[in-house]
Amino acid sequence: MSERPAPARVVPALARRDFIRLVGATVAGLFALDATSDRMRIVASITALALDDELTRRNMSESSNSRLGALIAGLRQRGWVEGVNYRLEVRSTFGGPDKLQTAIAELIDLKPDVILTGSTVETAAVMAATRTIPIVFATSNDPVGNGFVESLAHPGGNVTGFTSSTPDMGGKWLQLIKEAVPDVQRIGVLFNPASTPRAGRYYLDSLEQEAATSGVAVELAPISAVAEIDGAIGRFADPPKAAMISLVDSFLVVIRKAVVETAARHRVPMIYPFHYFMDSGGLMSYGPTLEVRSADYVDLILRGTKAGDLPVQSPRKYELLINRTVASTLGLKIPYTLLARADEIRE
């Protein structure tokens, strides 16, 4: 079996000293030139989440996990105060495919200084609409393969941002859920082919390789609508013993509460890629922390740095979260060796 993943690790997307030197040179060279301008800047953000979702709330006191709240707080730390020297314009694509093009058109008409995108689907759509307005993707997987950037070190064009996982995550999720459920015989993989990287194949290669080593069967559970969740998860409630993996998927993030509630109702153990699912009552998650990174690049672009000159960064740290109370309700006794590696244990 391959080596167990450490609950927290550093991923060297680029040499740390090179990035620090880049940031230092940019801030020192451009602060006096552009940051003191009286012009009100416009920071645009497009998201697949509903605007009343806790992850899109502006007020950090409303939700400690608010993406926009973290962005606003991060920009404030860098001298940008909403309503004083910049305006934040947010549009949601929630509600159907037609909303995506409408939201993009509205934002581009505002002539923003930078557009922050929340997923691969949104990034591709915004890039199709503009090749001049700087774009920062807060999360994306395989940006080179998707044609977003020329390379991670030298993106070129008007786009840069942050990746949220690597292909080998599939195998790592399987290792972890098998530790939590030692007698598991089959693994269900939940995803939407339209919104997960390479229709799921980005993670499935490593997942299937690990499954072959571990002696468990992999069964795909693709869905494309909320109405399909119950059937996709419910079939893993019957013998032989099963558990599930939720892939990185913007669609699943949007419907995360329904996914977690359905898994609980059918008593199916599932591991998730982000802590957002844990906040909705999930069993366990393994993935990067994402919220605060985008403020760094939005700040640099507002000060005059070209998006294409900023290297794409990979996650710096991965975290393992386990909810011991949820495990108990599922009849699971999480091994001490797994609990000892968790960054956070919830009760």
Side-chain angles (χ1 to χ4, degrees):
M1 181 180 295
S2 58
E3 184 179 353
R4 304 285 186 221
R9 63 188 178 91
V10 174
V11 180
L14 66 157
R16 183 69 56 87
R17 63 177 178 272
D18 291 341
F19 176 67
I20 293 174
R21 186 161 53 243
L22 169 66
V23 173
T26 302
V27 172
L30 294 171
F31 185 88
L33 293 177
D34 207 25
T36 58
S37 170
D38 292 333
R39 180 175 66 83
M40 179 73 74
R41 311 304 177 82
I42 298 177
V43 176
S45 177
I46 187 166
T47 177
L49 297 162
L51 292 182
D52 61 353
D53 189 292
E54 62 184 11
L55 296 183
T56 58
R57 292 175 183 165
R58 279 176 157 84
N59 190 342
M60 284 294 283
S61 65
E62 293 182 55
S63 170
S64 61
N65 296 313
S66 165
R67 289 178 175 180
L68 287 184
L71 173 66
I72 292 170
L75 288 176
R76 180 181 289 271
Q77 292 173 353
R78 294 157 179 80
W80 301 100
V81 181
E82 187 182 11
V84 175
N85 53 4
Y86 85 97
R87 187 171 87 243
L88 180 61
E89 293 284 349
V90 183
R91 296 294 185 274
S92 170
T93 66
F94 184 80
D98 293 341
K99 294 275 291 187
L100 178 61
Q101 296 306 321
T102 300
I104 292 174
E106 289 180 1
L107 289 180
I108 289 179
D109 284 346
L110 295 173
K111 296 180 173 57
D113 294 273
V114 59
I115 299 176
L116 181 67
T117 60
S119 74
T120 297
V121 173
E122 294 151 9
T123 302
V126 174
M127 286 187 65
T130 178
R131 291 288 179 173
T132 56
I133 298 174
I135 300 169
V136 176
F137 48 81
T139 61
S140 178
N141 296 281
D142 194 22
V144 176
N146 285 319
F148 296 166
V149 298
E150 295 175 6
S151 71
L152 299 183
H154 305 285
N158 62 318
V159 186
T160 189
F162 306 86
T163 62
S164 61
S165 59
T166 55
D168 63 349
M169 291 293 288
K172 293 175 182 178
W173 290 319
L174 191 146
Q175 290 174 359
L176 289 167
I177 194 64
K178 193 174 187 303
E179 278 193 79
V181 191
D183 58 342
V184 67
Q185 298 180 48
R186 56 193 181 116
I187 296 291
V189 183
L190 187 69
F191 64 102
N192 182 343
S195 52
T196 197
R198 297 185 192 173
R201 184 46 56 185
Y202 188 74
Y203 305 105
L204 288 175
D205 288 342
S206 67
L207 196 157
E208 290 169 348
Q209 289 172 9
E210 180 61 31
T213 301
S214 303
V216 299
V218 172
E219 299 179 22
L220 304 186
I223 62 173
S224 58
V226 176
E228 298 171 359
I229 298 174
D230 190 76
I233 296 177
R235 66 187 176 94
F236 293 97
D238 300 323
K241 183 69 174 181
M244 296 191 74
I245 295 170
S246 169
L247 297 187
V248 172
D249 185 333
S250 58
F251 175 72
L252 296 184
V253 172
V254 172
I255 62 170
R256 63 193 181 282
K257 292 182 180 179
V259 171
V260 171
E261 290 170 0
T262 304
R265 185 171 66 255
H266 288 291
R267 298 177 59 79
V268 177
M270 189 180 302
I271 186 169
Y272 304 96
F274 302 122
H275 68 79
Y276 314 137
F277 294 87
M278 297 294 291
D279 301 333
S280 295
L283 168 65
M284 59 192 300
S285 68
Y286 180 71
T289 54
L290 305 172
E291 277 70 43
V292 300
R293 300 186 302 165
S294 57
D296 292 329
Y297 275 8
V298 171
D299 168 57
L300 290 172
I301 290 170
L302 291 178
R303 297 184 189 281
T305 304
K306 293 181 179 179
D309 292 338
L310 295 169
V312 174
Q313 292 193 62
S314 298
R316 299 175 185 176
K317 183 180 180 181
Y318 287 83
E319 294 183 327
L320 173 63
L321 280 64
I322 299 173
N323 191 313
R324 194 153 49 182
T325 300
V326 173
S328 179
T329 64
L330 294 173
L332 298 176
K333 186 175 181 180
I334 304 296
Y336 174 77
T337 53
L338 184 57
L339 291 173
R341 303 206 314 275
D343 294 273
E344 181 180 338
I345 298 175
R346 300 188 180 185
E347 303 288 353

